[in-house]
Each structure stands twice: as structure tokens, then as C-alpha cells.
């Protein structure tokens, strides 16, 4: 007989870790208890709501201080930030870009916006992100290095970059990934959209590659309503990022002169105002999230068939989304578990469909994706809001 999950008990235990005074819990709801109202009202009162105003610069400064990355360019969302970061990394039409198949669709879409081709990589069970060892072995088999240029022997296309994504705030094994990238001449563009506040070997994520991006969508740990940012250690890239995200307009007192095809990707001041207020509370948000992990851990101790996913040694996760892993033997019951949790007001969701399985991406190049596919059937996210 196939073993079965004790779904009632799991639901009760999860509920016991949550505040007893509420009976419905979203997966991730924003919290506005700081200066959000004051700063947004300030934008309205002064009329500075759109493309000019001081909150954008202030928000960029706060992010720079927090992450330790010297240059920050705020954008209208995280997908736009990824698009520009990939262009700045030198990704061109018909290049291939490596990315995990287990990520939010934006990672693949941004590659496609550049006219490049996503090339899917497997995940590691200990980080939920790109498996650098497996990637290294794979590249060994399929690429030629021609004068430092990495060429896919099968497709004949250049492989230009890798986009590691820090899943739910858990940092990728960046030391190993960097070693692979150095060996094969690949640029790193970190998709740190979910990982503001996460640390790898004592340093904030996003410091490893020359370029990384954040998102401030409504469900992220810090929100601006919608928003994103490009982070870089390179001053020239930073200047170009600002230029490209602001329609490539040349500074002039009155003339409209644009010197390349730019984008209207600038973050509006009113959104940045919200972001400034949220940043003032980020440390507290992370403490709360880590405490919630502790409560879930205690509540779920010894339950058969599922485990709470915890950060790897030498990393500090922001625990953006709290994550259950269902043991392989019980995967058939995932939807039953999701149904039971949601019926009880415990907002729970499966992880994304692996992107290589989606219609528009199923013809893209890929390596063996066994672990990612397995993880995609086993991950369930449970309520993760910062006020729980
Ligand atoms: C949220 C997110 C993004 C960016 O999303 P936007 O909604 O465009 O800000 C990109 N990648 C990942 C992995 C994300 O979770």
C-alpha cells in the first residue's frame, strides 16, 4: 500500500504556528505600518508623482547602502530590470542564456526580449537554485571555447551569460557557480528579485556578478506597488543603465534628443516613496520572517512525509516564501494537501511549472532537468507575510 500524508494533522500544525486571532491567511500580503502614507502624501501634495522627484534617488541610495552594491538604478518592475541588465551584460540576438527551469516566468521572458534563447539548467536540492556542479559537467560536454567565447557545439550559438535565481530568498551556491562561469567565460546576471536581505558567505546577494536585479512587486519582501532595480559595481554600466531606462535622452535644457533606442523603464516617484518607507522596516521584516520559520519548524517537527525547507550553511535567507518539501513517496497527494490548506484559509500555492514545459519555451535547449522537475512537484509554499 502507498503511504499517505496525514493531511488533517499537517493543516492543524501549520495553523498552530499562525496567529490565533485570524482565520484567513494569504500567501504573502504587504504591510504598511511605517511612513508609507506620509511619503506618498508628500508626493501628491508637492505634485512630484511621476518621473521627477527626490524619492527615486533616496530609494536608490537606501538600496545601495543595504546591499553594499555601489550603483543602483530603480526601474518600473523587476522584469524590466532583468531586460536591461541582460543587455548591459552584452546579451545579443541569437545568443543563448543559461537559467534555471525552476523560476518565475520573468527570468525567461527577459532573455527572450533581448532576442536571445533561454537554455534551461537543473536545480540543486540544497539551495533550490542552479546546480553549479551539474552545470559545469554539462558545459564540459556540450561547449567549445573559441578564444574565450563559449559556443554551444550542438546549436552553434554563443552562450553569453547565466542567470542564477535565489529561490524564495535562498542564495545559490555562488562560489561554485562563479568558478564555472570563469572557466567558460560566462557573464553572471543575478536574478535576486526574491532575495532582498539574503546573505551568502556574509555578503548581501548581488555582489558576485557585475549585474543583478531586484523586484518590488506587491508580493515581494519590500514593495513599491510595482518596481525593480538594477544593481551594479561598474560605474560605466550604471550610467548606461540609467540612460537606457530613461528613454536614452541626452541632457539638454529644452531639446528632445535621444541617442539610442531606450526604454521608459524608470520607477515613478510615488512608487519610490512607498519603497523608502518600506526599506526603513526591512530589518524588522526579516526578523519576523525568520521567527515565522522557527514557529513552522517547531510545529512541523516529526511530521511524516513533509519537511520545512531551511537555509544552507553559510547563507542567511530572507525566507521570502516559507516552503514545504513533500517527500518523493507522497507527491501524488500534493493537490489534496493544497486543497485542504486553502479550504482552511491557509493560503498555499505550488511552485511554478518548470519553464521548459510551457508551450513557448519547450523547444529551447536544455540539460537533464530531473531534479528541477522533481522539486516542482514537491514544493508547497505556505503563508509567509511579514506580520505573521
Ligand atoms: C518577482 C520576480 C521577478 C520580477 O517580477 P516583476 O513582477 O516584474 O517585478 C523576476 N524574477 C523572479 C524570480 C521573481 O520572483
Amino acid at each position: 500500500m502507498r503511504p499517505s500524508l496525514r493531511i488533517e494533522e499537517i493543516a492543524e500544525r501549520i495553523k498552530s504556528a499562525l496567529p490565533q486571532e485570524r482565520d484567513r491567511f494569504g500567501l504573502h500580503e504587504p504591510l504598511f505600518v511605517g511612513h508609507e502614507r506620509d511619503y506618498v502624501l508628500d508626493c501628491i501634495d508637492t505634485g512630484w508623482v511621476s518621473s521627477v522627484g527626490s524619492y527615486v534617488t533616496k530609494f536608490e541610495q537606501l538600496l545601495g547602502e543595504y546591499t553594499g552594491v555601489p550603483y543602483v538604478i530603480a526601474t518600473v518592475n523587476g522584469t524590466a530590470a532583468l531586460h536591461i541588465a541582460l543587455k548591459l551584460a552584452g546579451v545579443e540576438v541569437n545568443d543563448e542564456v543559461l537559467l534555471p527551469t525552476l523560476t518565475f516566468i520573468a527570468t525567461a521572458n527577459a532573455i527572450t526580449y533581448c532576442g536571445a534563447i533561454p537554455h534551461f539548467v537543473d536545480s540543486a536540492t540544497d539551495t533550490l537554485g542552479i546546480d553549479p556542479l551539474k552545470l559545469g559537467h554539462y558545459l564540459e560536454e556540450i561547449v567549445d571555447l573559441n578564444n574565450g567565447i563559449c559556443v554551444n557545439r550542438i546549436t552553434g550559438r554563443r552562450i553569453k551569460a547565466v542567470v542564477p535565481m535565489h529561490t524564495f530568498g535562498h542564495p545559490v551556491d555562488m562560489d561554485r557557480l562563479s568558478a564555472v562561469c570563469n572557466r567558460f567565460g560566462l557573464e553572471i546576471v543575478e536574478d535576486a528579485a526574491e532575495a532582498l536581505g539574503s546573505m551568502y558567505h556574509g555578503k548581501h546577494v548581488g555582489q558576485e556578478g557585475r549585474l543583478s536585479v531586484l523586484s518590488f512587486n506587491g508580493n515581494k519582501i519590500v514593495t513599491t506597488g510595482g518596481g525593480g532595480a538594477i544593481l551594479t559595481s561598474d560605474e560605466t554600466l550604471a550610467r548606461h543603465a540609467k540612460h537606457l531606462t530613461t528613454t536614452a535622452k541626452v541632457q539638454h535644457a529644452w531639446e528632445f534628443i535621444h541617442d539610442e533606442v531606450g526604454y521608459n523603464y524608470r520607477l515613478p516617484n510615488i512608487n519610490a516613496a512607498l519603497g523608502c518607507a518600506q526599506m526603513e522596516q526591512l530589518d524588522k521584516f526579516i526578523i519576523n520572517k525568520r521567527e515565522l520559520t522557527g514557529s513552522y519548524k517547531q510545529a512541523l517537527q516529526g511530521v511524516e512525509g513533509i519537511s520545512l525547507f531551511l537555509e544552507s550553511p553559510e547563507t542567511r535567507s530572507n525566507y521570502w516564501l516559507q516552503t514545504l518539501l513533500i517527500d518523493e513517496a507522497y507527491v501524488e497527494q500534493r493537490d489534496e494537501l493544497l486543497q485542504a490548506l486553502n479550504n482552511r484559509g491557509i493560503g498555499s500555492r505550488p511552485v511554478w511549472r518548470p519553464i521548459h514545459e510551457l508551450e513557448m519555451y519547450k523547444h529551447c535547449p536544455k540539460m537533464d532537468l530531473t531534479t528541477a522537475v522533481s522539486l516542482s512537484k514537491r514544493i508547497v509554499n505556505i503563508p509567509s507575510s511579514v506580520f505573521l
Side-chain angles (χ1 to χ4, degrees), residues 77-79 82 103-104 106-107 165 191 193-194 215 217 220 227:
N77 58 53
T79 312
L82 265 174
T103 180
F104 178 55
T107 321
M165 192 280 284
D191 182 346
E194 307 183 352
S215 166
N217 191 36
K220 297 299 199 303

Side-chain angles (χ1 to χ4, degrees), residues 66-70 174 190 199 202-210 212 231 233:
Y66 199 91
T67 59
V69 181
M174 291 303 290
E190 279 179 63
M199 317 280 280
K203 290 196 300 190
H204 196 283
V205 297
Q207 292 189 22
E208 191 66 32
R210 277 199 305 157
S212 62
L231 279 61
S233 52

Side-chain angles (χ1 to χ4, degrees), residues 74-77 80-81 83-84 113 244-246 263-267:
T75 60
V76 74
N77 58 53
H83 179 191
I84 299 302
Y113 300 163
L244 277 178
T245 54
T246 52
Y263 300 82
N264 181 15
Y265 279 177
R266 188 191 162 93
L267 184 72

Side-chain angles (χ1 to χ4, degrees), residues 67-143:
T67 59
V69 181
Y71 304 99
V72 178
I73 299 91
T75 60
V76 74
N77 58 53
T79 312
L82 265 174
H83 179 191
I84 299 302
L86 288 163
K87 281 181 93 71
L88 292 170
V91 172
E92 292 175 358
V93 173
N94 219 28
D95 280 339
E96 291 180 13
V97 176
L98 301 158
L99 77 161
T101 188
L102 200 60
T103 180
F104 178 55
I105 193 72
T107 321
N109 285 347
I111 293 167
T112 306
Y113 300 163
C114 296
I117 292 109
H119 186 149
F120 297 108
V121 175
D122 205 11
S123 305
T125 42
D126 55 344
T127 65
L128 307 179
I130 282 185
D131 181 338
L133 291 179
K134 192 166 174 179
L135 177 62
H137 294 311
Y138 173 65
L139 291 175
E140 197 82 57
E141 273 174 31
I142 68 140
V143 306

Side-chain angles (χ1 to χ4, degrees), residues 329-350:
Y330 303 86
V331 284
E332 302 290 324
Q333 283 181 280
R334 183 194 75 175
D335 290 355
E336 205 183 318
L337 176 65
L338 280 164
Q339 190 69 57
L341 295 177
N342 284 297
N343 285 349
R344 284 174 175 73
I346 304 169
S348 305
R349 299 277 298 272

Side-chain angles (χ1 to χ4, degrees), residues 1 7 14 41 68 127 137 153 173 182 220 239 243 261 267 295 303-304 308 320 340 383-384:
M1 209 182 80
I7 287 177
I14 289 173
L41 268 180
T127 65
H137 294 311
R153 212 182 292 135
D173 184 351
N182 285 337
K220 297 299 199 303
R239 234 182 275 123
H243 193 58
V261 178
L267 184 72
S295 306
V303 173
E304 201 182 306
L308 188 69
W320 171 55
S384 306

